[in-house]
Amino acid sequence: MSASIATSPALFSVEGLVGLVFLVMVAITIIGAVIASNSERLVRCVAGLIVCFVGVAGLYYFLNSPFVAMMQILIYVGAVAVTIAFAIMLAAPEESRKVGNEGRGPLDGPLGFATAALVAGGFSILAF
């Protein structure tokens, strides 16, 4: 009996390219979400949201669901994001003001991280 050795697929094989496309779609989604949540200007936040929605649509298409991918593009990118963009353009501009760390305690960051870690740990324990 011969023992089979599990090897990872080469990058230029079909399996390797499929994995690469999946990682690119995940990266596009995460980059769009980071831009949408960390940008100071609302127009850039909407642009990040659109990039994130397009990445999610790519993930749906990658998972063999082209109808859901097209509905993601039509409904979220085409309707929701454009409506938010028009609302931003039609709103009266406010004076620029910096949002600082006013009213935040020194334990807010670590406490939030600990809570998120507990929730993620609880969900992973429930999953297994």
Side-chain angles (χ1 to χ4, degrees), residues 111-128:
L111 187 63
F113 182 77
T115 304
L118 283 173
V119 169
F123 281 147
S124 61
I125 288 171
L126 283 175
F128 292 115

Side-chain angles (χ1 to χ4, degrees), residues 12-128:
F12 294 109
S13 67
V14 174
E15 293 87 13
L17 288 177
V18 165
L20 186 66
V21 168
F22 178 76
L23 290 177
V24 166
M25 287 298 143
V26 169
I28 288 172
T29 305
I30 290 174
I31 288 171
V34 167
I35 291 171
S37 61
N38 290 329
S39 197
E40 291 183 11
R41 307 194 78 154
L42 287 176
V43 175
R44 291 182 185 159
C45 289
V46 172
L49 190 67
I50 290 170
V51 170
C52 183
F53 285 157
V54 169
V56 170
L59 286 173
Y60 284 142
Y61 191 77
F62 179 78
L63 293 172
N64 244 357
S65 184
F67 177 75
V68 177
M70 287 308 297
M71 291 302 107
Q72 173 80 19
I73 291 174
L74 284 173
I75 295 170
Y76 286 102
V77 176
V80 173
V82 171
T83 304
I84 293 171
F86 279 129
I88 290 170
M89 287 188 285
L90 291 174
E94 294 183 19
E95 293 181 20
S96 64
R97 55 183 171 186
K98 284 285 189 183
V99 177
N101 290 335
E102 301 166 359
R104 294 185 183 173
L107 292 178
D108 285 348
L111 187 63
F113 182 77
T115 304
L118 283 173
V119 169
F123 281 147
S124 61
I125 288 171
L126 283 175
F128 292 115

